[in-house]
Amino acid sequence: MAGCQCAQATTCSSHGNLIRLGVNIRDFDYLIALAGNPNTGKTTLFNALSGLRQHTGNWPGKTVVRSEGAFRHNGYKYKVVDLPGTYSLLSTSEDEEIARDFILFGNPDCVVVVVDATALERNLNLVLQVLEITDRVVVALNLMDEAERKGMFVDARKLAKELGVPVVPMVAREGKGTDHLLQTVQDLVTGNLRTQPRRIELDPHIEEAVQQLLPHLKNLYPNLSNHRWLAMRLLEGDPSIRRAILTDSLAQTESPLAPQKEEDMSELEAALEV
Amino acid sequence: MTDAEGRKQHIQNLLQKAERLHQNLDGSFSDRLVSSIYKEATAIARSSVIESGNRRAGWDVYFDRIATHPVTGFPLMFLILAAIFWITIEGANYPSQLIARGLFWFEGWAAGLFFQLGAPPWLTGFLWHGVWRGLAWVVSVMLPPMAIFFPLFTILEDFGYLPRVAFNMDALFRRVGAHGKQALTMAMGFGCNAAGVISTRIIDSPRERLIAIITNNFVPCNGRWPTLIMMATIFIAAPFPAGVGSLVAAASLMAVTLFGVFMTLVVSFGLSKTLLKGTPSVFTLELPPYRKPRILQTLYTSLIDRTIFVLWRAIIMAAPAGAVIWILGNTHIGGLPLSNHIANALDPLGRLIGLDGVVLLAYIIAIPANEIVIPTIIMAYSQASMMIELDSLEALRHLLVDQHGWTIVTAISLMLFSLLHNPCSTTILTIWKETRSAKWTAVATFLPLTIAFIVNFLFVQIVLFFM
Amino acid sequence: MPITLAELDRGQRAHIVELRLHGLERRRLMDLGFTPGTEVEVAMKAASGDPIAFVVRNTQIALRKQQAENIIVEPIS
């Protein structure tokens, strides 16, 4: 597990090998998704990596469309997708569905969860959910400077240990920590680094039900790693997961890029009876 | 049984079992799950965060107190907006004139050169007095205000003030059956209504989102600012001495904006009581901490991405519009140019709403981009009255007032119409993409247009009654 | 004595006891961290007194009064 080589984000401010490629995203080697709560600096990080200038603003929900860009680092070419900010992946909002579907069906080689160091508790709510879906996760512990100003110190090394995935402290606005993040991502996607994501300790009632479904899911989808999460979704009665299982589209190993969700207002209209 | 059939059977079994378990777990599943996750999150956070001192820093608490105070909250909001308008008007005036002078000087020089080279007069007219003149107007009228307005607004956005606006405004939106986040989408509409429409995705409830989409048009976008600013400067502020003038101009822009907000609330109310009835949805709004705006980066990105982008759009729209106007003005039927025929036909309708046929023609030509309304009007007017040099606001005033009889009533009518009329074609297309509904796209297009005609008509009637 | 979240004054803190909300509304608030047992503080009220912003898990979240009235809390004195 990669701990943090530099406890202070301030010491990792160079981006030696980063070449920003903007929207030139053909023939990439690895696909990275940026997830995180709203207003944690995902788009700032996205811009820093791709060299694009998606509009940022200090209010939650600024990124409402999925934007894509590319960059080259240490000879590898990456495609990076900035997902809409969400507090959770459990609700039924459109944003959360876009983010969740991409993490689940988009087959990203790595999900970078951008986390607000000043509100760790709430951000971990999302991180823990992402860890149930995929084990290829790097946590970008952003806004370290703001945390410091508020008199908080977040121990990235400890956090990494707790979560079982690498945690990189950053100040994305100033480009601090970018290089360390990219190195960590590279280690993860090339298989030099193995993660052991923490699983949520479930309420006993739920755990029991999950255990009953697990053998079926493992049998049907031997290649997937998120059986527990699938079981939880089924138990909640998530219609899109039911549909995916019914049509057997989960089993595809080729990346069936989830189509960008177009909201169908006529459907919504029907619901409104207008 | 084949493998495929076996698999299908297996899937059926799984789903049935899941369904049974789902029912056994009753409604508490979600609660238990969320609680489990948060319990874990709390434990992890406790072990890896060392906290000391106050949770919130000092000055931002005090600023928030002023920004949300019952007495100071709303006035501060108006003051900030008015200040932005004032700085924009005051700052843009001189550079605008300078750019206009330069570009129109070039027009004369290039036309002279063409004449000397023996180029056919129609070519000189089409290229320099048509296309180039359109471009020159767009650039000189739009570039300076935008280069000031956008960065100022972006700095405000970067700072984190907009969520506070939404926080204060929610009380109004709640009363009209809409969502407080609509204020954020309106703020985006100041830049571009198409962007404003896309930003309504932050509103989850389809009902409240549709209200936000349909009413976003009542926030004047950058394509309409130049029209509003020009009318405010050359008509409303004109009688006042220079220093007071820009304050008056800023105040009149403020009045137009507030009227737009008022119409937004009225129409939102109307929609939520008729076409879009329903109960209010969940309202949650995160108020992020204030952040020090990155001034240099803001200047750079808002100049490159917004100013230049919008200007470029205006330029590629203005060039063909200039050409269309020139062709309409130089195609003669029965001794009169085609543009006159059309303008004459539209004139009675235009007069009803305080405008004239030429302005309506300009609005039709400007459906792809509102930026070109004023240039189109100028081109159409100046063609009819021989080519005059239009190198200053004074010359423009002369053209509009002395030659085409504009008054302050015309100016206010134009400001109202500009604020309320139908969205541009880009925005209409965006509304279609977002709603996938012909019905709602039509409502979002024709409702504002109808309202514009009604409001303008009433305004003219009231003026006639008192004068 | 349990009261509702809407009854607290600025600066007052309380523990959430119960959410008397259902469906999506309940879900949303829980996702934001309004779960039973959590500590909440009233950060500020909007110019007109509604909505009200709360600090929950180190974040400021504004809710409408009508929603806050359905969240039962135990004030911390």
Side-chain angles (χ1 to χ4, degrees), chain A residues 39 53 55 58-59 64-65 87 146 151 153 155 162 173 198 201 205 220 235-236 248 263 265 269, chain B residues 7 22 30 32 38 40 47-48 50 52 54 157-158 201 209 286 288-289 291-292 305 435 440:
Chain A
N39 216 39
R53 289 188 302 268
H55 190 65
N58 186 10
W59 51 282
V64 285
V65 278
Y87 295 108
E146 260 176 47
F153 175 74
D155 187 343
E162 292 277 358
R173 258 159 79 104
R198 179 181 186 126
E201 198 179 307
H205 290 85
L220 280 167
L235 288 172
E236 180 145 19
D248 218 358
E263 184 161 354
M265 277 275 183
E269 234 177 80
Chain B
R7 188 174 172 83
H22 168 69
S30 311
R32 287 171 195 263
Y38 261 116
E40 197 124 344
S47 75
S48 38
I50 303 152
S52 61
N54 0 339
E157 193 189 342
D158 217 26
R201 292 185 191 178
R209 191 175 159 207
E286 189 184 336
R291 285 177 187 150
K292 208 166 72 193
D305 292 347
T435 62
W440 292 115

Side-chain angles (χ1 to χ4, degrees), chain B residues 189-381:
Chain B
F190 272 128
C192 166
N193 291 129
V197 166
I198 292 175
S199 75
T200 61
R201 292 185 191 178
I202 57 171
I203 300 170
D204 288 328
S205 136
R207 183 186 77 84
E208 288 159 2
R209 191 175 159 207
L210 269 173
I211 292 177
I213 288 176
I214 294 167
T215 55
N216 195 269
N217 180 60
F218 298 131
V219 185
C221 65
N222 59 60
R224 296 183 270 165
W225 282 120
T227 309
L228 297 173
I229 291 176
M230 276 180 68
M231 290 302 110
T233 354
I234 61 178
F235 283 94
I236 295 173
F240 298 90
V244 187
S246 45
L247 279 177
V248 173
S252 60
L253 285 187
M254 198 59 206
V256 169
T257 310
L258 288 182
F259 186 65
V261 173
F262 171 74
M263 288 309 292
T264 302
L265 292 170
V266 169
V267 174
S268 299
F269 181 76
L271 286 170
S272 70
K273 286 279 172 278
T274 57
L275 288 177
L276 289 164
K277 260 186 230 170
T279 45
S281 72
V282 200
F283 173 83
T284 59
L285 174 71
E286 189 184 336
L287 300 168
Y290 292 109
R291 285 177 187 150
K292 208 166 72 193
R294 290 159 295 177
I295 309 280
L296 283 178
Q297 191 174 343
T298 302
L299 286 178
Y300 176 78
T301 42
S302 51
L303 205 69
I304 300 296
D305 292 347
R306 303 181 84 174
T307 310
I308 302 297
F309 170 80
V310 169
L311 192 67
W312 177 243
R313 186 178 104 105
I315 286 172
I316 52 177
M317 289 299 184
V324 166
I325 283 289
W326 191 89
I327 292 167
L328 288 179
N330 288 278
T331 313
H332 291 262
I333 298 171
L336 267 178
L338 194 52
S339 55
N340 283 29
H341 286 290
I342 302 174
N344 287 343
L346 290 171
D347 208 56
L349 184 61
R351 299 280 167 199
L352 271 184
I353 58 168
L355 305 170
D356 64 17
V358 171
V359 177
L360 285 190
L361 174 63
Y363 268 101
I364 294 169
I365 293 174
I367 287 174
N370 276 289
E371 288 86 339
I372 58 174
V373 166
I374 290 282
T376 307
I377 293 173
I378 292 165
M379 283 186 282
Y381 277 164

